[in-house]
Amino acid sequence: MDKIKMSVPLVEMDGDEMTRILWQWVKDILILPYVDLKTVYFDLSIQNRDATDDAVTTLAGNACLKYGVGVKCATITPNAQRQEEFGLKKLYPSPNATIRAIMDGTVFRAPVLVKGITPLVPSWTSPIVIARHAYGDVYKAVELKADGGVATLCVNGVQKQVFDFGSQSGILQAQHNTDKSITSFATSCFEYALSEKKDLWFSTKDTISKVYDHRFKDIFQEIYDTKYKEKFEEAGIEYFYTLIDDAVARVMRSKGGFIWALKNYDGDVMSDMVATAFGSLAMMTSVLVSPSGAYEYEAAHGTVTRHFRKYQAGETTSTNSVATLFAWTGALKKRGELDGNSQLIKFACDMEAASVETIENGEMTGDLTGLFHLDGVEVKKLDSKGFLQAVARRYEAIQTV
C-alpha cells in the first residue's frame, strides 16, 4: 500500500510521561505505516522546557499560527513537588495556557461516543460540546500573600479598595481579560455553532460580577444581534444566555446536542465533568481554534503519571489512548481539508471509525471495561499497545471492504 502523501507539515508537540509513550506508539502503529508523515517537531517535555527557559513553548505556539494545524501531547504543568522532582529552575506556566494566549482562540471539547457506554446522565443522548475561552481569568492572574495592609485596584488613576486586611494576613488575586479576546471568543463560538448546526448556550455570573462577567455577556449579545441573529434563525438554531447556576441545572436535564460556551476556568472544570459523565476523560477530544483560522488538537487529559510509574517499573499498563489518537486524526483531517487532500481526510475518518468499532466489538483498555455493556458482546481487556494493534487490524479490515 502506497503511503498517503502530505504537502504541508503539521506542528507536532511532544509531551510527558505515559502520554509521551502513547504518542510514539500511536505514530508507529497507526500513522507511519499509512501516511508519509511530515511534521515540524517541538519537544515540550518538562526537561526541554526547563533547558530552553520555556522558549520552546512560545516557538511551538507561533508555529501553529504559521502552519495552520498543530497536534499536542499532554504535558506537565509543574507544582512545587514537580519542581523538586525535576530540579527545575522555576515553576513554568501551563504550556496549554501559553499556547492558548499566543493563538487567542477558543477550546472546543467533545466526547467520543460509543455504543455500550451509557452516560451517567441518562438523558444525554447527544454530545455536549464545551467551548472554553482560552485567555485570561485565573490563568493570567496576579497573586499576592498579604501580611496586613490595604489592597487597592488602580487603573489610570481610578482607584478602588479591594480589602483592608488591617493586621490580618491573607491572600488576594487580580484577574483580567480584554475586549479583543472576548470578541474573538464570542465570534469563534458563533461560527462553530453555525458550522455544526448546534444551539449555542453562554453562561457566567453577571449578577455577582457586575463589571467583569457582565462585559462577557454584553459582548456576546452585541455580536449576536449585529452579525449572527439572522444567520442563526436561517439555520434553525438558537443562542441564549443564562446564569451559570441555571445553566448547570438545564444541562443536567437536557438531551445534549448543543455547544456550551464558558469562561476559562468554568470551561476547564465543566469539560472534565462532562467528559467523566459521558464515560471517560480519555474519550474527550479537544481543539483550539484561533480567530486567524489556525487549529491545535490535543487530548483533554493529563500525562497519566500513575501508569507511567508502572511503565517505568517494567509493568504492563492498559492506558486509554483514544483522545491522543483523535488528536492526531483531528489534526490530519484538518490538514487534509485545508490542503484539499481527500486521501488524508479519508484516512483520518477511517481510523476514527476503526477505534470506535474496536471498542464496540468488545476490545478496550481497562478503564472502559467496567463501563461497557452491550448485549451479545464479550469484553476483552487489552494492554496499551494491544489496543492500538487491535485498532490497526480493524482499520485494515475497513480498507478491504
Side-chain angles (χ1 to χ4, degrees):
M1 182 185 299
D2 291 337
K3 290 188 179 183
I4 298 166
K5 302 297 182 184
M6 293 177 59
S7 57
V8 181
L10 297 172
V11 176
E12 177 186 353
M13 294 162 276
D14 214 339
D16 289 301
E17 298 189 318
M18 196 64 210
T19 44
R20 187 181 180 97
I21 305 302
L22 294 177
W23 191 260
Q24 191 61 50
W25 287 348
V26 167
K27 287 171 62 179
D28 290 344
I29 298 170
L30 297 180
I31 299 174
L32 293 175
Y34 312 106
V35 178
D36 185 13
L37 186 64
K38 296 183 184 300
T39 71
V40 178
Y41 179 86
F42 294 92
D43 182 2
L44 297 193
S45 66
I46 189 63
Q47 296 93 337
N48 196 47
R49 279 180 276 146
D50 189 54
T52 63
D53 297 318
D54 208 30
V56 66
T57 309
T58 300
L59 290 172
N62 286 319
C64 288
L65 291 176
K66 176 182 177 180
Y67 290 96
V69 184
V71 58
K72 180 183 171 296
C73 183
T75 45
I76 292 169
T77 299
N79 55 17
Q81 182 268 322
R82 291 293 209 168
Q83 184 176 21
E84 181 179 353
E85 177 184 348
F86 292 102
L88 305 177
K89 300 169 191 170
K90 63 179 183 179
L91 290 176
Y92 297 98
S94 160
N96 289 350
T98 299
I99 293 167
R100 287 167 189 158
I102 291 169
M103 296 181 68
D104 189 26
T106 299
V107 178
F108 295 94
R109 290 182 170 177
V112 177
L113 301 188
V114 299
K115 297 173 186 175
I117 298 179
T118 303
L120 295 176
V121 181
S123 64
W124 289 0
T125 56
S126 297
I128 296 171
V129 179
I130 300 293
R132 174 187 172 188
H133 190 202
Y135 177 81
D137 298 346
V138 67
Y139 301 89
K140 284 287 184 179
V142 176
E143 301 176 319
L144 283 174
K145 187 178 186 303
D147 293 311
V150 178
T152 60
L153 186 66
C154 180
V155 180
N156 293 331
V158 179
Q159 187 168 297
K160 198 168 186 177
Q161 181 173 307
V162 177
F163 188 71
D164 185 350
F165 286 93
S167 60
Q168 302 178 75
S169 61
I171 51 175
L172 63 152
Q173 180 186 83
Q175 298 184 26
H176 82 279
N177 227 294
T178 68
D179 285 1
K180 177 179 179 294
S181 184
I182 299 168
T183 298
S184 295
F185 171 44
T187 301
S188 295
C189 290
F190 289 127
E191 288 288 342
Y192 194 79
L194 282 172
S195 69
E196 297 295 311
K197 298 292 188 293
K198 292 182 183 294
D199 290 346
L200 174 66
W201 301 12
F202 176 56
S203 59
T204 185
K205 194 70 172 177
D206 66 287
T207 52
I208 301 299
S209 177
K210 299 180 188 299
V211 175
Y212 195 99
D213 282 21
H214 211 296
R215 188 63 179 148
F216 277 81
K217 176 185 177 182
D218 290 345
I219 288 175
F220 262 78
Q221 193 64 49
E222 180 183 350
I223 291 174
Y224 176 71
D225 289 341
T226 58
K227 295 183 179 180
Y228 289 98
K229 189 173 187 294
E230 290 184 5
K231 293 178 181 178
F232 268 53
E233 290 173 351
E234 289 172 5
I237 58 177
E238 178 185 13
Y239 164 70
F240 76 92
Y241 170 84
T242 188
L243 292 172
I244 191 167
D245 41 351
D246 177 59
V248 170
R250 287 174 179 251
V251 166
M252 297 305 290
R253 294 192 300 265
S254 76
K255 295 180 180 180
F258 55 87
I259 300 164
W260 186 12
L262 293 157
K263 287 166 50 192
N264 208 346
Y265 179 76
D266 297 338
D268 190 3
V269 174
M270 292 302 175
S271 64
D272 284 358
M273 182 272 289
V274 168
T276 302
F278 269 107
S280 171
L281 192 57
M283 302 283 283
M284 194 78 163
T285 65
S286 180
V287 55
L288 176 67
V289 182
S290 168
S292 66
Y295 297 77
E296 185 249 20
Y297 295 80
E298 59 183 296
H301 58 71
T303 59
V304 202
T305 305
R306 183 172 60 87
H307 284 203
F308 183 61
R309 298 291 182 238
K310 291 183 177 182
Y311 175 83
Q312 286 179 309
E315 298 179 36
T316 299
T317 68
S318 183
T319 316
N320 192 329
S321 55
V322 169
T324 298
L325 170 57
F326 271 65
W328 273 105
T329 55
L332 290 168
K333 196 187 306 180
K334 180 55 66 176
R335 184 77 275 164
E337 290 172 5
L338 295 177
D339 301 341
N341 188 336
S342 59
Q343 285 186 306
L344 197 59
I345 296 171
K346 183 179 184 302
F347 165 79
C349 291
D350 285 353
M351 192 60 74
E352 289 179 356
S355 65
V356 170
E357 289 178 16
T358 298
I359 296 169
E360 291 179 346
N361 280 274
E363 296 182 292
M364 64 197 71
T365 47
D367 60 313
L368 300 181
T369 56
L371 304 174
F372 185 88
H373 301 283
L374 197 60
D375 289 344
V377 178
E378 182 181 348
V379 174
K380 181 180 180 181
K381 177 183 173 182
L382 302 177
D383 62 30
S384 305
K385 188 177 285 188
F387 173 73
L388 294 172
Q389 291 167 336
V391 173
R393 290 192 295 271
R394 180 84 41 187
Y395 169 77
E396 292 187 0
I398 290 174
Q399 305 314 301
T400 61
V401 174

